Amino acid sequence: MALGSDTEIAEALALMTDAMVDAAPPAVGDMAARRATWQPIIGAAGTAQPIAADV
């Protein structure tokens, strides 16, 4: 049996992957750099799967 993936999840992961392409790993303990690195990745996830206004 072959494994498949949900197309909506695949699209969301693709946006997050695109946001990580040029990200360099920040130094250990550099929390400001870690936040700056993750901001576009989390933003891409929010764009792919927006939160419904009535939730």
PDB file of all heavy atoms in Angstrom, residues 13-28:
ATOM      1  N   LEU A  13       2.876  22.837   4.022  1.00  0.00           N
ATOM      2  CA  LEU A  13       4.276  22.475   4.267  1.00  0.00           C
ATOM      3  C   LEU A  13       5.191  23.047   3.199  1.00  0.00           C
ATOM      4  O   LEU A  13       6.322  23.450   3.496  1.00  0.00           O
ATOM      5  CB  LEU A  13       4.419  20.948   4.343  1.00  0.00           C
ATOM      6  CG  LEU A  13       3.771  20.304   5.567  1.00  0.00           C
ATOM      7  CD1 LEU A  13       3.871  18.780   5.464  1.00  0.00           C
ATOM      8  CD2 LEU A  13       4.388  20.807   6.849  1.00  0.00           C
ATOM      9  N   ALA A  14       4.715  23.117   1.963  1.00  0.00           N
ATOM     10  CA  ALA A  14       5.531  23.680   0.886  1.00  0.00           C
ATOM     11  C   ALA A  14       5.810  25.165   1.144  1.00  0.00           C
ATOM     12  O   ALA A  14       6.938  25.628   0.940  1.00  0.00           O
ATOM     13  CB  ALA A  14       4.838  23.494  -0.455  1.00  0.00           C
ATOM     14  N   LEU A  15       4.807  25.904   1.616  1.00  0.00           N
ATOM     15  CA  LEU A  15       5.020  27.321   1.929  1.00  0.00           C
ATOM     16  C   LEU A  15       6.035  27.486   3.057  1.00  0.00           C
ATOM     17  O   LEU A  15       6.893  28.363   3.018  1.00  0.00           O
ATOM     18  CB  LEU A  15       3.699  27.982   2.316  1.00  0.00           C
ATOM     19  CG  LEU A  15       2.692  28.177   1.189  1.00  0.00           C
ATOM     20  CD1 LEU A  15       1.364  28.659   1.751  1.00  0.00           C
ATOM     21  CD2 LEU A  15       3.225  29.150   0.160  1.00  0.00           C
ATOM     22  N   MET A  16       5.933  26.625   4.062  1.00  0.00           N
ATOM     23  CA  MET A  16       6.878  26.691   5.179  1.00  0.00           C
ATOM     24  C   MET A  16       8.283  26.319   4.720  1.00  0.00           C
ATOM     25  O   MET A  16       9.260  26.952   5.112  1.00  0.00           O
ATOM     26  CB  MET A  16       6.420  25.779   6.312  1.00  0.00           C
ATOM     27  CG  MET A  16       5.140  26.263   6.969  1.00  0.00           C
ATOM     28  SD  MET A  16       4.501  25.124   8.196  1.00  0.00           S
ATOM     29  CE  MET A  16       5.763  25.227   9.458  1.00  0.00           C
ATOM     30  N   THR A  17       8.377  25.313   3.862  1.00  0.00           N
ATOM     31  CA  THR A  17       9.680  24.888   3.336  1.00  0.00           C
ATOM     32  C   THR A  17      10.313  26.012   2.529  1.00  0.00           C
ATOM     33  O   THR A  17      11.512  26.283   2.664  1.00  0.00           O
ATOM     34  CB  THR A  17       9.525  23.626   2.471  1.00  0.00           C
ATOM     35  OG1 THR A  17       8.953  22.604   3.273  1.00  0.00           O
ATOM     36  CG2 THR A  17      10.860  23.152   1.940  1.00  0.00           C
ATOM     37  N   ASP A  18       9.515  26.678   1.693  1.00  0.00           N
ATOM     38  CA  ASP A  18      10.032  27.795   0.901  1.00  0.00           C
ATOM     39  C   ASP A  18      10.582  28.897   1.800  1.00  0.00           C
ATOM     40  O   ASP A  18      11.596  29.521   1.483  1.00  0.00           O
ATOM     41  CB  ASP A  18       8.941  28.361  -0.003  1.00  0.00           C
ATOM     42  CG  ASP A  18       8.543  27.411  -1.125  1.00  0.00           C
ATOM     43  OD1 ASP A  18       9.287  26.438  -1.388  1.00  0.00           O
ATOM     44  OD2 ASP A  18       7.480  27.639  -1.734  1.00  0.00           O
ATOM     45  N   ALA A  19       9.924  29.140   2.926  1.00  0.00           N
ATOM     46  CA  ALA A  19      10.370  30.175   3.852  1.00  0.00           C
ATOM     47  C   ALA A  19      11.667  29.791   4.558  1.00  0.00           C
ATOM     48  O   ALA A  19      12.408  30.657   5.021  1.00  0.00           O
ATOM     49  CB  ALA A  19       9.286  30.468   4.887  1.00  0.00           C
ATOM     50  N   MET A  20      11.970  28.490   4.629  1.00  0.00           N
ATOM     51  CA  MET A  20      13.173  28.022   5.328  1.00  0.00           C
ATOM     52  C   MET A  20      14.387  27.870   4.424  1.00  0.00           C
ATOM     53  O   MET A  20      15.489  27.665   4.918  1.00  0.00           O
ATOM     54  CB  MET A  20      12.904  26.665   5.989  1.00  0.00           C
ATOM     55  CG  MET A  20      11.965  26.744   7.153  1.00  0.00           C
ATOM     56  SD  MET A  20      11.840  25.198   8.088  1.00  0.00           S
ATOM     57  CE  MET A  20      10.992  24.142   6.941  1.00  0.00           C
ATOM     58  N   VAL A  21      14.210  27.980   3.122  1.00  0.00           N
ATOM     59  CA  VAL A  21      15.287  27.681   2.180  1.00  0.00           C
ATOM     60  C   VAL A  21      16.562  28.454   2.478  1.00  0.00           C
ATOM     61  O   VAL A  21      17.645  27.888   2.506  1.00  0.00           O
ATOM     62  CB  VAL A  21      14.819  27.936   0.730  1.00  0.00           C
ATOM     63  CG1 VAL A  21      15.979  27.910  -0.243  1.00  0.00           C
ATOM     64  CG2 VAL A  21      13.770  26.918   0.332  1.00  0.00           C
ATOM     65  N   ASP A  22      16.459  29.749   2.692  1.00  0.00           N
ATOM     66  CA  ASP A  22      17.651  30.578   2.888  1.00  0.00           C
ATOM     67  C   ASP A  22      17.996  30.821   4.358  1.00  0.00           C
ATOM     68  O   ASP A  22      18.905  31.582   4.656  1.00  0.00           O
ATOM     69  CB  ASP A  22      17.462  31.924   2.180  1.00  0.00           C
ATOM     70  CG  ASP A  22      17.360  31.758   0.678  1.00  0.00           C
ATOM     71  OD1 ASP A  22      18.029  30.869   0.124  1.00  0.00           O
ATOM     72  OD2 ASP A  22      16.588  32.514   0.054  1.00  0.00           O
ATOM     73  N   ALA A  23      17.267  30.193   5.260  1.00  0.00           N
ATOM     74  CA  ALA A  23      17.502  30.419   6.687  1.00  0.00           C
ATOM     75  C   ALA A  23      18.775  29.711   7.153  1.00  0.00           C
ATOM     76  O   ALA A  23      18.954  28.523   6.919  1.00  0.00           O
ATOM     77  CB  ALA A  23      16.314  29.925   7.498  1.00  0.00           C
ATOM     78  N   ALA A  24      19.650  30.468   7.776  1.00  0.00           N
ATOM     79  CA  ALA A  24      20.865  29.898   8.362  1.00  0.00           C
ATOM     80  C   ALA A  24      20.588  29.601   9.829  1.00  0.00           C
ATOM     81  O   ALA A  24      19.866  30.354  10.494  1.00  0.00           O
ATOM     82  CB  ALA A  24      22.021  30.877   8.240  1.00  0.00           C
ATOM     83  N   PRO A  25      21.129  28.505  10.358  1.00  0.00           N
ATOM     84  CA  PRO A  25      20.894  28.203  11.767  1.00  0.00           C
ATOM     85  C   PRO A  25      21.506  29.282  12.663  1.00  0.00           C
ATOM     86  O   PRO A  25      22.668  29.627  12.508  1.00  0.00           O
ATOM     87  CB  PRO A  25      21.624  26.868  11.984  1.00  0.00           C
ATOM     88  CG  PRO A  25      22.004  26.367  10.641  1.00  0.00           C
ATOM     89  CD  PRO A  25      21.948  27.515   9.689  1.00  0.00           C
ATOM     90  N   PRO A  26      20.720  29.841  13.575  1.00  0.00           N
ATOM     91  CA  PRO A  26      21.263  30.855  14.477  1.00  0.00           C
ATOM     92  C   PRO A  26      22.179  30.226  15.528  1.00  0.00           C
ATOM     93  O   PRO A  26      22.117  29.025  15.778  1.00  0.00           O
ATOM     94  CB  PRO A  26      20.021  31.464  15.131  1.00  0.00           C
ATOM     95  CG  PRO A  26      18.938  30.479  14.924  1.00  0.00           C
ATOM     96  CD  PRO A  26      19.303  29.626  13.758  1.00  0.00           C
ATOM     97  N   ALA A  27      22.990  31.062  16.116  1.00  0.00           N
ATOM     98  CA  ALA A  27      23.909  30.588  17.146  1.00  0.00           C
ATOM     99  C   ALA A  27      23.126  30.086  18.361  1.00  0.00           C
ATOM    100  O   ALA A  27      22.047  30.588  18.666  1.00  0.00           O
ATOM    101  CB  ALA A  27      24.846  31.718  17.563  1.00  0.00           C
ATOM    102  N   VAL A  28      23.696  29.117  19.042  1.00  0.00           N
ATOM    103  CA  VAL A  28      23.081  28.589  20.254  1.00  0.00           C
ATOM    104  C   VAL A  28      22.936  29.726  21.268  1.00  0.00           C
ATOM    105  O   VAL A  28      23.885  30.479  21.506  1.00  0.00           O
ATOM    106  CB  VAL A  28      23.945  27.448  20.844  1.00  0.00           C
ATOM    107  CG1 VAL A  28      23.413  27.012  22.192  1.00  0.00           C
ATOM    108  CG2 VAL A  28      23.992  26.282  19.877  1.00  0.00           C
TER     109      VAL A  28
END
